[in-house]
């Protein structure tokens, strides 16, 4: 990732405060496993007014970065906020599940997975058992409370 990081760092130098470039640099650091550096650029991208689909992706990546840094509760706060802003985003739901699991809430993570399946899998078999899937999801979520 060094060439990519160097490219976006130079682009940022030429375009200081550019939200899209800050986001791309954060993602490059993230991919390189340098989550500590990535966090700084995600926050700067948000402050610079990152919007649209990049904003949604940045929230997902930032929440994941916090999880990788062991900051599970902060990660879950980011995902809760992101899901309020982008309620139809399946990818946010999936990455939130990973943070729930990492935060020691595996039952809630599985409950969310079951809910996502019930919501999104268009299968006659799943639809037949939808009430049971949702009921089990509610029960599992209650175990972590």
């Amino acid at each position: 990732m060094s060439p990519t990081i160097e490219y976006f760092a130079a682009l940022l130098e030429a375009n200081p405060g550019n939200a899209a470039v800050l986001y791309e640099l954060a993602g490059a650091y993230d991919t390189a496993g340098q989550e500590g550096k990535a966090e700084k650029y995600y926050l700067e991208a948000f402050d610079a007014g990152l919007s649209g689909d990049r904003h949604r992706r940045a929230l997902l990546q930032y929440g994941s970065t916090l999880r990788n840094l062991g900051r599970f509760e902060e990660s879950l706060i980011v995902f809760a906020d992101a899901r309020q802003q982008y309620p139809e985003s399946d990818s946010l739901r999936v990455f939130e599940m990973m943070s729930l699991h990492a935060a020691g809430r595996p039952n809630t993570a599985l409950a969310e997975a079951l809910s996502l399946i019930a919501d999104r899998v268009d299968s006659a078999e799943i639809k037949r058992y939808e009430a049971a899937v949702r009921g089990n999801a509610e029960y599992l979520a209650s175990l972590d409370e």
Side-chain angles (χ1 to χ4, degrees):
M1 290 304 298
S2 291
T4 304
I5 290 170
E6 290 170 13
Y7 171 80
F8 284 115
L11 194 57
L12 182 60
E13 192 171 309
N15 299 278
N18 182 294
V21 177
L22 287 160
Y23 160 71
E24 295 296 344
L25 183 56
Y29 276 119
D30 225 350
T31 301
Q34 298 181 49
E35 288 90 353
K37 288 184 180 179
E39 178 184 14
K40 169 189 184 296
Y41 291 106
Y42 286 129
L43 293 173
E44 288 183 24
F46 296 136
D47 288 345
L50 192 65
S51 62
D53 194 53
R54 279 192 178 116
H55 183 253
R56 181 194 53 78
R57 291 190 323 242
L59 287 169
L60 183 149
Q61 291 168 216
Y62 178 53
S64 184
T65 292
L66 292 171
R67 183 189 73 246
N68 289 336
L69 290 170
R71 293 162 50 192
F72 308 128
E73 293 307 317
E74 290 175 71
S75 173
L76 289 170
I77 290 168
V78 168
F79 282 116
D81 179 54
R83 287 195 53 207
Q84 290 248 321
Q85 294 179 58
Y86 304 98
E88 294 301 313
S89 175
D90 293 336
S91 59
L92 283 169
R93 289 177 80 177
V94 169
F95 277 79
E96 181 183 40
M97 290 175 218
M98 289 186 255
S99 289
L100 285 163
H101 187 271
R105 296 167 56 192
N107 295 311
T108 304
L110 179 55
E112 282 296 315
L114 291 173
S115 294
L116 180 62
I117 290 166
D119 291 345
R120 297 288 193 229
V121 175
D122 187 19
S123 156
E125 281 189 277
I126 296 297
K127 294 302 177 196
R128 178 183 179 136
Y129 298 106
E130 182 178 353
V133 171
R134 289 189 189 283
N136 278 284
E138 289 176 20
Y139 168 73
L140 287 167
S142 75
L143 296 177
D144 284 341
E145 293 175 355

